[in-house]
Amino acid sequence: MNKMMLKAGIFALSVVSATVMAKVSPEEAARLGNELTPVGAVKAGNADGSIPEWTGGYSKQADGEAPERPADPFADEQPLYTITAENVDEYKDLLSAGQMAMFKKYPDYKMHVYPTHRTAAYPQDVYDVIAKNATNAELVSGGNGLANFEKHVPFPIPANGLEIIWNHITRYRGGAVQRLVNQFPVLENGDFVPVLLRESLVFPEYLKTGRESADDNVLFYFLQEVLAPARMTGTVLLVHETIDQVEESRRAWLYNAGQRRVRKAPSVAYDGPGTASDGLRTSDGLDMFNGAPDKYNWELVGKKEMLIPYNNYKLMDTSLSYDDIIGPGHMNQDYVRYEKHRVWEVKGTLKDGERHIYATRHMFIDEDTWTASVIDHYDGRGELWRVAEAYNTQFYYHDTPWMAAEALYDLNSGRYILLGLANEESEYMNFDIEPVRGDFSTGALRRMGIR
C-alpha cells in the first residue's frame, strides 16, 4: 500500500458511524507489524521527514537494577524553534484551540519544539495480545463495554471515535506499578501546597495468581493513599474499575481518617470532585480521561499532525525543585519538551439528557501510545474552559510509555492542577511489585487508613 492510499484509508475512518461495531478482518489485522506498528500507528514517517519512521521505539536493558527515573537520552538536543505569543499564528495548524488560548492568556507562555523521536515500545506479550484483540474484541452495551477482549488496546485498527477512547482507557501502563507522586492545586499567584500520593495500578492479569473468576468485569484495580499534608493523611481511595460500567458501575470505596470507617463512594465517577484537587479536577479527569464513556457521543474527526508534549525526561530531574517547575498561571515551560506527532482527533459531545460540567471534550490522542495527550474542555455555553496536557515519557527500562506528569489549566480562574511530579522524593516509580488480590480489598483499605 503506498502512502497516498494509506493516508486516504486513515481519513476515511472519520466518516464511519460510531454505531458500526464490525470486527477487523484477518487481512486488515495483518497490517499490524507491517505498514502499521504493532499497536496500530502508521509506521512510516510523514512527507517532509519531521515525523520519522517508527523503527521499534526506544528500549534499554538496565546494567543491574533499573533506576526508577530514566535518564534523558536527548539531554544534549536543542530546540528546533520556540513558539511565543508573537509567532504563534504561524503554528496554529499544529496546535489545539486550548493550546492557542494559553498564549493569548499568558503573554510569557512558550513552547520549545524539539526533534521528534518515536520512542514508544512495549513488551512482546503486549503486542501479541493487541494482535488477538484486533480480530476478536467487540463493543457491547451500546459501546459502553467490551467483549472478547484481553488486557490492553482492544481496537488497534479503530473504526470510530468510541473505539479510540477505549484504547486510551485500556492502554498499557506497566501492568502492575506503584508510584509516589505529588498533586499540586496551584493558585493564580503560583502558590501551592503539595499533596503527596502513593498510587497502585494493577490489571488483574498481573496479580500473582493472574486473572480469576473474582476479577470478572474488572479492568484494573486502583489504590490511592494520601500521605501529606497532615490534615489529609490517612485518606485512602480504592477503585475496582469495571469493564462494562453500564452493566455494573465502578466499585469505589473511601476510607476517611476522621471518621475511621470505609464508605462506598459512588461520587468517584464522572464529574464528581477529584481527590484533594481543590475543585480543579473531576474524577473522570484523572489520567486525562477515565471511566465510563457513556455520557458522550464520540465523533472521530480524523488524524492530524500536532505539537504535543513528548519525551519529557526533564520533568523527572531530581536537581529541580517543585518551585523551579511550578509558577503562576502555568508551569515553567523551559522544562517542557514538545514534538510533532500524529494524533487521532476525537470530539466528545454530551448526549441529550445527560449532565456533566464539560459539555464537550475535544481530545487529541497520540497514535503510538493511545495516550490522550491534549484535551480541550468546553462548558455548557460552548466556551473553552480548561486545557489538559499529558507530558508523555517512555520508561524505557520497562518498555512502558506513560506520563512524567499531567496538567489541567483553568482559563477562567488562572489556576491549574499538576499531578505526577516526584523531583523532591526519594521514591518514584516501582514496576516490580508483586500484588495479590487481597491488597485491593476493603479490609486492606481499612488497615492502610489506621496504620
Side-chain angles (χ1 to χ4, degrees):
M1 181 180 292
N2 62 38
K3 289 184 180 179
M4 287 298 293
M5 290 174 63
L6 184 58
K7 184 176 181 181
I10 291 166
F11 282 91
L13 292 176
S14 66
V15 301
V16 176
S17 167
T19 61
V20 175
M21 305 296 179
K23 293 183 183 179
V24 170
S25 69
E27 291 75 21
E28 289 177 287
R31 297 168 58 200
L32 297 171
N34 291 298
E35 69 261 29
L36 301 180
T37 73
V39 303
V42 176
K43 186 180 289 187
N46 64 352
D48 65 9
S50 56
I51 298 176
E53 178 185 7
W54 183 83
T55 57
Y58 187 64
S59 178
K60 186 176 181 180
Q61 293 295 315
D63 183 13
E65 185 176 348
E68 294 188 348
R69 306 167 204 266
D72 186 353
F74 313 116
D76 295 333
E77 287 187 345
Q78 297 300 312
L80 297 172
Y81 54 91
T82 297
I83 304 175
T84 66
E86 285 69 36
N87 66 359
V88 66
D89 285 342
E90 299 175 28
Y91 303 97
K92 61 183 179 181
D93 291 342
L94 295 173
L95 301 172
S96 78
Q99 289 175 312
M100 291 287 293
M102 291 293 289
F103 287 95
K104 183 176 181 180
K105 185 170 181 66
Y106 302 107
D108 66 332
Y109 193 74
K110 57 190 171 185
M111 288 183 178
H112 296 303
V113 182
Y114 289 80
T116 297
H117 298 281
R118 297 180 68 181
T119 46
Y122 298 81
Q124 184 59 49
D125 68 308
V126 174
Y127 292 144
D128 294 342
V129 163
I130 293 173
K132 292 180 183 178
N133 287 335
T135 55
N136 294 332
E138 298 177 275
L139 293 174
V140 296
S141 298
N144 297 307
L146 300 171
N148 304 317
F149 157 71
E150 292 185 46
K151 295 193 207 178
H152 310 293
V153 187
F155 308 111
I157 305 177
N160 53 66
L162 186 53
E163 291 185 349
I164 292 171
I165 297 302
W166 273 110
N167 287 347
H168 164 77
I169 292 170
T170 61
R171 74 196 190 282
Y172 180 72
R173 282 155 282 171
V177 61
Q178 185 176 87
R179 65 179 189 169
L180 187 71
V181 295
N182 284 275
Q183 179 171 265
F184 305 87
V186 184
L187 299 178
E188 188 175 9
N189 64 3
D191 289 348
F192 60 86
V193 175
V195 179
L196 185 61
L197 304 170
R198 179 179 285 117
E199 297 181 336
S200 298
L201 174 69
V202 176
F203 285 69
E205 290 82 359
Y206 301 88
L207 294 169
K208 290 183 73 173
T209 54
R211 179 179 282 275
E212 296 180 342
S213 59
D215 308 306
D216 283 351
N217 200 30
V218 174
L219 178 63
F220 60 74
Y221 296 102
F222 177 72
L223 191 62
Q224 182 187 71
E225 180 182 9
V226 179
L227 303 179
R231 60 185 172 84
M232 298 182 184
T233 300
T235 300
V236 190
L237 171 67
L238 172 65
V239 173
H240 294 181
E241 185 76 343
T242 49
I243 297 171
D244 185 341
Q245 293 194 16
V246 175
E247 176 185 328
E248 179 188 15
S249 61
R250 167 185 285 169
R251 311 168 200 157
W253 300 266
L254 188 67
Y255 180 87
N256 184 289
Q259 298 174 345
R260 301 182 69 84
R261 60 185 297 186
V262 174
R263 292 180 178 271
K264 285 189 174 181
S267 64
V268 181
Y270 301 115
D271 58 0
T275 303
S277 65
D278 200 18
L280 285 168
R281 176 175 59 77
T282 59
S283 289
D284 64 5
L286 181 66
D287 193 42
M288 299 293 282
F289 177 80
N290 73 86
D294 61 310
K295 285 187 177 290
Y296 294 86
N297 291 313
W298 300 98
E299 173 196 358
L300 174 51
V301 179
K303 211 170 191 183
K304 63 177 290 184
E305 296 178 3
M306 187 174 178
L307 298 175
I308 60 176
Y310 227 89
N311 293 311
N312 277 276
Y313 295 95
K314 286 183 182 178
L315 291 177
M316 296 186 283
D317 190 340
T318 56
S319 70
L320 298 176
S321 69
Y322 302 137
D323 286 327
D324 292 329
I325 297 172
I326 300 170
H330 56 80
M331 295 166 60
N332 185 335
Q333 290 293 101
D334 286 333
Y335 300 122
V336 180
R337 177 187 177 111
Y338 292 85
E339 298 179 1
K340 184 192 292 185
H341 287 261
R342 283 183 293 247
V343 299
W344 294 96
E345 184 177 358
V346 178
K347 187 176 181 181
T349 304
L350 197 63
K351 293 177 180 177
D352 291 342
E354 294 285 1
R355 299 186 63 181
H356 196 289
I357 64 170
Y358 301 137
T360 304
R361 288 170 131 126
H362 202 155
M363 306 177 74
F364 302 89
I365 298 172
D366 172 41
E367 69 167 348
D368 285 332
T369 64
W370 296 109
T371 301
S373 298
V374 176
I375 305 179
D376 294 343
H377 302 76
Y378 293 79
D379 63 21
R381 301 167 299 173
E383 300 292 328
L384 183 61
W385 180 9
R386 290 172 172 172
V387 186
E389 288 190 326
Y391 302 98
N392 295 298
T393 306
Q394 177 72 14
F395 290 83
Y396 49 78
Y397 288 120
H398 303 281
D399 291 340
T400 301
W402 208 358
M403 311 172 188
E406 58 184 301
L408 181 66
Y409 294 102
D410 190 315
L411 294 169
N412 294 338
S413 70
R415 300 166 64 208
Y416 65 102
I417 189 165
L418 178 62
L419 172 65
L421 299 184
N423 308 69
E424 299 180 17
E425 313 307 325
S426 58
E427 303 174 38
Y428 183 33
M429 301 285 285
N430 185 357
F431 291 91
D432 298 318
I433 62 174
E434 296 184 341
V436 297
R437 191 169 290 96
D439 295 337
F440 301 95
S441 66
T442 55
L445 185 68
R446 187 176 294 106
R447 291 191 294 273
M448 291 177 65
I450 62 177
R451 71 187 181 194

